[in-house]
Amino acid sequence: MTTSLLSGKISSLADLADAVKIRRKALGLTQADLADLARTGNRFIVDLEKGKPTLQIDKVLAVVSLLGLDLHIKEKEDMLHQGTAQTITGRPRSLKEAMFLGKKHGDIDSFIREFLDEFYVEQNNLTREIMLREEPPLVTEDRTNAYLAAVAE
């Protein structure tokens, strides 16, 4: 582990945890010392340095600031000016989110179309899995009924 983490990209909780631990040690502080300075419990510092994902972000930011570190948010270069919901934001999880993101990026139609396309692909794959698991294989009429039942769920 090197101190380059202190000026590098933080792309995971483990990276942040390592940066906090490196900085604390560089300042000659124990976990108990840092907990006292941050007015938090020692357990919080231990969990932070282990990268526990459920820590309160305000407390994490307070400890980071106390250690003399800054966190910055920067838009990814490869994400600028690309036109699909998938490349800009990751996959929307709901139709409402697709509409919100579409409005935000000025292209509601393509966001909704992309979301619905993926939704139906997932539904069709699920239906296929259900039908293929049936023993003996379903006849055409039963297959149609199984499809309609799966879609209705």
Side-chain angles (χ1 to χ4, degrees), residues 10-78:
I10 301 291
S11 57
S12 69
L13 288 173
D15 291 344
L16 179 60
D18 289 343
V20 167
K21 187 174 188 176
I22 289 168
R23 181 64 173 175
R24 175 184 59 78
K25 287 183 174 185
L27 294 172
L29 298 171
T30 65
Q31 289 176 331
D33 294 336
L34 182 55
D36 287 342
L37 291 170
R39 296 183 180 177
T40 187
N42 193 53
R43 180 86 235 156
F44 179 82
I45 302 301
V46 169
D47 289 344
L48 175 57
E49 290 186 359
K50 286 184 178 181
K52 183 178 178 185
T54 57
L55 297 175
Q56 292 179 352
I57 190 70
D58 58 334
K59 288 184 179 181
V60 172
L61 294 174
V63 170
V64 167
S65 179
L66 182 67
L67 290 170
L69 300 173
D70 285 323
L71 293 178
H72 297 272
I73 295 177
K74 178 183 165 194
E75 194 166 0
K76 292 180 178 182
E77 294 295 323
D78 60 339

Side-chain angles (χ1 to χ4, degrees), residues 23-139:
R23 181 64 173 175
R24 175 184 59 78
K25 287 183 174 185
L27 294 172
L29 298 171
T30 65
Q31 289 176 331
D33 294 336
L34 182 55
D36 287 342
L37 291 170
R39 296 183 180 177
T40 187
N42 193 53
R43 180 86 235 156
F44 179 82
I45 302 301
V46 169
D47 289 344
L48 175 57
E49 290 186 359
K50 286 184 178 181
K52 183 178 178 185
T54 57
L55 297 175
Q56 292 179 352
I57 190 70
D58 58 334
K59 288 184 179 181
V60 172
L61 294 174
V63 170
V64 167
S65 179
L66 182 67
L67 290 170
L69 300 173
D70 285 323
L71 293 178
H72 297 272
I73 295 177
K74 178 183 165 194
E75 194 166 0
K76 292 180 178 182
E77 294 295 323
D78 60 339
M79 295 294 185
L80 294 175
H81 310 300
Q82 296 185 17
T84 68
Q86 194 85 12
T87 55
I88 293 175
T89 63
R91 185 172 167 264
R93 294 174 300 243
S94 68
L95 184 57
K96 185 175 183 179
E97 185 177 334
M99 290 175 64
F100 171 79
L101 294 170
K103 185 181 276 187
K104 182 177 175 184
H105 294 284
D107 193 6
I108 294 173
D109 289 344
S110 67
F111 275 75
I112 291 174
R113 201 173 307 115
E114 187 172 322
F115 171 76
L116 291 175
D117 287 348
E118 289 201 19
F119 174 79
Y120 287 117
V121 166
E122 285 180 15
Q123 290 301 311
N124 288 337
N125 288 338
L126 176 64
T127 303
R128 272 190 220 103
E129 286 178 32
I130 291 169
M131 290 189 298
L132 291 174
R133 278 189 249 143
E134 294 296 324
E135 295 279 336
L138 299 171
V139 295

